[in-house]
Amino acid sequence: MPSKKHPPEEVVAKITAPLPLLTNAKPAARIDLFAKKLRFCCYTFDFQDPTSQVKEKDLKTIYLKEVVEFMEESRGVLIEPIYAMCFTMIAHNLFQAVHPNNPNYDPDEDDPIVVPEWPHLQLVYTFFFRVLESPDFQPSEAKKYIDHHFVTDLINRFASEDINERECLKTAVHRIYGKFLGLRAFIRNVVNNKFLEMMYEDLYFPGVTEILEVLGSIINGYACPLKREHKQFLFQILLPLHSTPNLQHYQAQLVYCVVQYLEKDPTLTEEYVTKFLKRWPRTVAAKEVMFLGELEEIIDVLQPSEFIKVQRVVFLQLAKCIKSEHFQVAERALYFWDNEYIVSLMEVSSTQIFPIVLPGLLQVSNFHWNSTIITMATNVIKNFMTVDQKVFATILSNIKQKKKQEKKHRAELTAKWVKLNAIASQSEVTLTLKTSSANAENKR
């Protein structure tokens, strides 16, 4: 919908003549007066310049507050012409160009951004919600205006860096998804495309966190068995999102969505965990810590039957993390032994898990540079001993035997290398003598 932006001066002169209060108007005239005020609120003004059109901005604020209150308290307001006027006003105000992103803005360090037009936008969003919540609201009537274009424009607004606006957008999308069954598949498709643009075109998109929060609620409502489309979203969208450079901004929401999937359909666990571990970060310790956090949350919701399927690949990765030179990675991996449920799962599968992690724990407890990590690893080893001393002794004996064999193998390789060196040296001496003899013969 086109925006009526910056009306000509002669039009402003006409529309700024204050209209009477809705509460003072006769009941028969209120709908018409309500429509006039909505029409005025369609106009948008330049908020970048606080000194321009002050009178018009103040009047629009008054009208917006009035129409919000009128929509909340009145009944029988939502008739055919009013639907059109309501959504025209909403679209003209919300679907403006998003302010260009500040390349130097850091959401972790800088204060939250508040766009200058937010006081008006907040009232528009409030009015939008009052319309959707009205007992008179009929989705069959509103679908003429809340269509594919409206939904696309609404989701595009998540590019706003104003967190207040993104929170309102989250509420709006969630309510539209709940009321308009015919738009659900389209909303999911628009979200898919938005995430794909962000991931593969390297676009900065501030609203990922809020969209994932909406998706968390949507996934929670999925019926089982899950549709193929829903499974594809897990593996083609949520999984690749782990590889983006801004993961720390929305990791909690992303993990929540993943956990919802695995709780809904535990049979997805083995495939998801295997593919998740293949994306494990190799050079960014902070990201590795985040992956360890997600892995723990996943294990927390697994049934023992599903845990058995992934225990080997999971603890092979944990064993690597325990031996990490970065103390935060090693520390986060060792915290798995503070989780009672995970420890109980390990105890059941001790003969499979202990041999994987014990060598790394012994190495760390003896040679790690960080004293805290040494203490934590030592405590884990003590816990292993108390869980099943016989199994622990057997595994320890096997480790010692393996090290002995490795030492013997290294000694044999060293002896072979010394022998080869001796042979090479003897060959070099023989070659030198032959060369000298040949040169002497030639001189004669």
Side-chain angles (χ1 to χ4, degrees):
M1 295 182 184
S3 172
K4 294 182 180 180
K5 195 169 184 179
H6 310 317
E9 291 182 7
E10 63 274 12
V11 177
V12 172
K14 292 178 183 179
I15 63 177
T16 53
L19 296 166
L21 294 173
L22 282 164
T23 53
N24 293 343
K26 294 179 180 180
R30 283 179 184 170
I31 295 294
D32 185 57
L33 182 58
F34 179 61
K36 288 180 180 179
K37 294 197 173 189
L38 285 175
R39 192 174 297 113
F40 176 83
C41 291
C42 288
Y43 289 104
T44 58
F45 303 105
D46 182 9
F47 284 87
Q48 299 299 319
D49 181 3
T51 62
S52 71
Q53 301 171 305
V54 176
K55 183 179 178 182
E56 293 84 354
K57 292 173 186 174
D58 291 343
L59 189 59
K60 182 177 177 180
T61 301
I62 294 169
Y63 286 175
L64 282 170
K65 289 178 180 178
E66 220 182 331
V67 296
V68 167
E69 186 177 349
F70 185 72
M71 179 56 67
E72 185 174 9
E73 297 178 353
S74 303
R75 295 292 176 267
V77 174
L78 285 176
I79 58 177
E80 172 56 32
I82 296 300
Y83 272 106
M85 186 56 66
C86 287
F87 288 105
T88 298
M89 188 275 282
I90 291 166
H92 280 206
N93 281 275
L94 300 188
F95 303 150
Q96 304 292 328
V98 177
H99 294 294
N101 295 323
N102 178 2
N104 299 317
Y105 176 69
D106 184 349
D108 295 327
E109 300 290 337
D110 301 331
D111 293 332
I113 292 175
V114 179
V115 295
E117 63 268 29
W118 176 244
H120 276 191
L121 285 179
Q122 184 177 26
L123 289 168
V124 174
Y125 278 111
T126 304
F127 178 77
F128 187 13
F129 301 150
R130 295 296 177 269
V131 171
L132 294 175
E133 294 164 358
S134 172
D136 301 326
F137 182 76
Q138 296 294 330
S140 57
E141 289 291 332
K143 70 180 182 180
K144 301 173 187 176
Y145 313 102
I146 299 183
D147 55 10
H148 288 187
H149 292 295
F150 188 95
V151 166
T152 302
D153 289 340
L154 198 65
I155 292 175
N156 285 337
R157 284 298 300 182
F158 277 101
S160 170
E161 286 190 328
D162 189 330
I163 190 170
N164 299 307
E165 181 171 12
R166 297 201 305 270
E167 284 294 319
C168 288
L169 287 163
K170 180 177 72 174
T171 303
V173 171
H174 194 272
R175 291 183 184 172
I176 290 173
Y177 191 91
K179 289 180 180 291
F180 295 85
L181 302 183
L183 287 174
R184 289 183 175 182
F186 182 76
I187 290 172
R188 295 194 299 267
N189 187 52
V190 173
V191 169
N192 282 7
N193 293 337
K194 188 58 64 176
F195 282 158
L196 289 170
E197 284 178 10
M198 185 195 76
M199 289 186 289
Y200 298 111
E201 295 183 19
D202 197 24
L203 298 178
Y204 173 59
F205 190 64
V208 177
T209 300
E210 289 77 17
I211 291 179
L212 285 171
E213 287 176 3
V214 175
L215 287 171
S217 299
I218 292 173
I219 295 165
N220 191 37
Y222 284 165
C224 289
L226 294 176
K227 295 179 181 179
R228 181 184 177 187
E229 171 208 342
H230 301 332
K231 294 179 182 180
Q232 286 177 336
F233 183 78
L234 172 64
F235 291 106
Q236 296 178 9
I237 303 295
L238 295 184
L239 185 61
L241 275 175
H242 290 81
S243 301
T244 59
N246 297 315
L247 176 63
Q248 71 274 14
H249 296 149
Y250 52 82
Q251 195 240 357
Q253 292 77 13
L254 179 59
V255 172
Y256 178 78
C257 290
V258 169
V259 169
Q260 289 291 310
Y261 264 106
L262 301 185
E263 284 187 307
K264 285 277 180 185
D265 188 352
T267 62
L268 296 172
T269 300
E270 186 174 7
E271 182 182 359
Y272 179 80
V273 170
T274 303
K275 291 181 177 179
F276 172 74
L277 292 175
K278 287 180 179 179
R279 290 181 175 270
W280 200 271
R282 308 296 178 193
T283 57
V284 183
K287 203 166 184 179
E288 200 166 356
V289 170
M290 287 189 281
F291 270 55
L292 284 165
E294 177 169 349
L295 188 59
E296 182 174 356
E297 290 198 46
I298 290 172
I299 297 174
D300 255 340
V301 300
L302 295 187
Q303 296 297 320
S305 57
E306 295 300 326
F307 173 76
I308 290 171
K309 297 175 184 177
V310 297
Q311 63 184 15
R312 177 172 174 76
V313 290
V314 165
F315 282 91
L316 283 172
Q317 184 60 57
L318 276 180
K320 293 177 184 177
C321 293
I322 289 168
K323 295 187 289 185
S324 173
E325 288 298 315
H326 198 289
F327 81 96
Q328 288 180 330
V329 175
E331 182 181 55
R332 186 63 188 85
L334 290 167
Y335 275 140
F336 275 64
W337 278 266
D338 288 343
N339 187 308
E340 293 181 3
Y341 179 64
I342 294 178
V343 169
S344 69
L345 293 172
M346 284 191 270
E347 289 174 0
V348 173
S349 303
S350 58
T351 53
Q352 288 79 36
I353 293 173
F354 286 9
I356 296 173
V357 295
L358 198 53
L361 287 167
L362 291 169
Q363 178 182 330
V364 167
S365 65
N366 287 307
F367 302 111
H368 203 279
W369 64 270
N370 186 283
S371 58
T372 302
I373 301 303
I374 291 175
T375 303
M376 293 177 71
T378 303
N379 290 335
V380 172
I381 292 171
K382 289 178 181 177
N383 289 337
F384 273 162
M385 293 175 66
T386 57
V387 168
D388 193 330
Q389 197 164 3
K390 186 177 179 180
V391 171
F392 179 84
T394 303
I395 295 170
L396 194 60
S397 174
N398 291 339
I399 292 172
K400 288 180 178 178
Q401 184 64 29
K402 187 177 180 181
K403 285 189 174 181
K404 187 177 180 181
Q405 290 174 351
E406 288 176 353
K407 186 176 181 181
K408 181 181 177 181
H409 182 60
R410 282 197 299 271
E412 289 174 353
L413 288 176
T414 302
K416 287 180 180 179
W417 185 248
V418 169
K419 188 176 179 180
L420 286 170
N421 274 335
I423 293 171
S425 298
Q426 183 62 40
S427 299
E428 187 177 354
V429 170
T430 303
L431 181 62
T432 302
L433 290 174
K434 286 183 178 180
T435 303
S436 299
S437 176
N439 290 337
E441 190 66 33
N442 290 334
K443 287 180 180 179
R444 290 177 193 167

